[in-house]
Amino acid sequence: MGPPQGAGPLLSPPTNDATDLAALLARVADQDQGAFADLYDAVAARVHGLALRVLRNPTMAEDVTQEVFLQVWREATAFDPDRGSALAWLMTIAHRRAVDRVRSEEAQSARLHRYESLHETVPFDSTAEAGELRWEATRVRRAIDTVGEPHRTALMLAYFDGLTHREVAERTQVPLGTAKTRIRDGLRKMRQVMTGGEQG
């Protein structure tokens, strides 16, 4: 059997009779829906008020209030009158629920902040950026053209066609070690050209 629906208005006037609340909880523990409705009417306003003070958000406070009473319906048998009043037990549940919601919201906000930080796009002048990239690409291609064959072909395959060393070896029909040497020596020559040094 689930908790009763329409258990009363959220902000109904509360009661101060601790004995009545304890008796209602005892009946709720026996799945008495009428007692549950009476309990809701008696303390919903206080539960909601506490949740609202902690959360400072009416919608979340209403959600927490409903969660509290769902827990009460399920766990009313856990109430022990020898350990405190029924109202104190109910308000402790409400406070824990509200604090848990705050922590959950803070954790979600922190995760969102981390995600946005990791994926933040740094503003830049797209026209200038594109021009710089085109200039750099032209400079690299000119440097590659100066290294001579077979280094030029190996570098073009590796860095402009995106082939692996093994794929370069297969495409140029040379041993893998030879392909690696051509790429390494070609890069050395390129660096010398682009930094103004002499080829060697």
Side-chain angles (χ1 to χ4, degrees), residues 95-172:
H95 186 262
R96 287 176 179 169
R97 282 278 182 176
V99 170
D100 285 347
R101 177 63 67 92
V102 170
R103 289 172 177 166
S104 175
E105 292 295 321
E106 289 177 346
Q108 182 176 352
S109 177
R111 285 194 297 270
L112 179 60
H113 179 71
R114 286 195 299 270
Y115 177 86
E116 290 175 343
S117 297
L118 289 172
H119 295 80
E120 181 179 5
T121 301
V122 179
F124 66 95
D125 184 333
S126 59
T127 302
E129 179 79 0
E132 183 178 344
L133 289 174
R134 284 196 299 271
W135 177 83
E136 185 65 20
T138 300
R139 183 167 174 256
V140 170
R141 284 182 179 274
R142 286 175 178 171
I144 288 179
D145 287 340
T146 67
V147 302
E149 294 294 353
H151 303 95
R152 178 185 179 280
T153 295
L155 289 174
M156 291 292 290
L157 291 172
Y159 293 99
F160 284 93
D161 291 352
L163 301 186
T164 65
H165 287 177
R166 186 173 301 279
E167 289 170 337
V168 171
E170 293 173 353
R171 181 73 64 87
T172 57

Side-chain angles (χ1 to χ4, degrees), residues 7 10 16 19 28 32 37 44 47 57 71 75 98 104 108 135 177 183 187 196:
L10 186 61
N16 294 315
T19 302
V28 171
D32 185 326
V47 170
N57 181 300
Q71 182 175 344
E75 302 177 9
S104 175
Q108 182 176 352
W135 177 83
I183 292 170
L187 286 172

Side-chain angles (χ1 to χ4, degrees), residues 10 48 52 55-63:
L10 186 61
H48 181 266
L52 186 59
L55 293 163
R56 301 182 182 279
N57 181 300
T59 300
M60 285 194 292
E62 290 179 7
D63 289 343

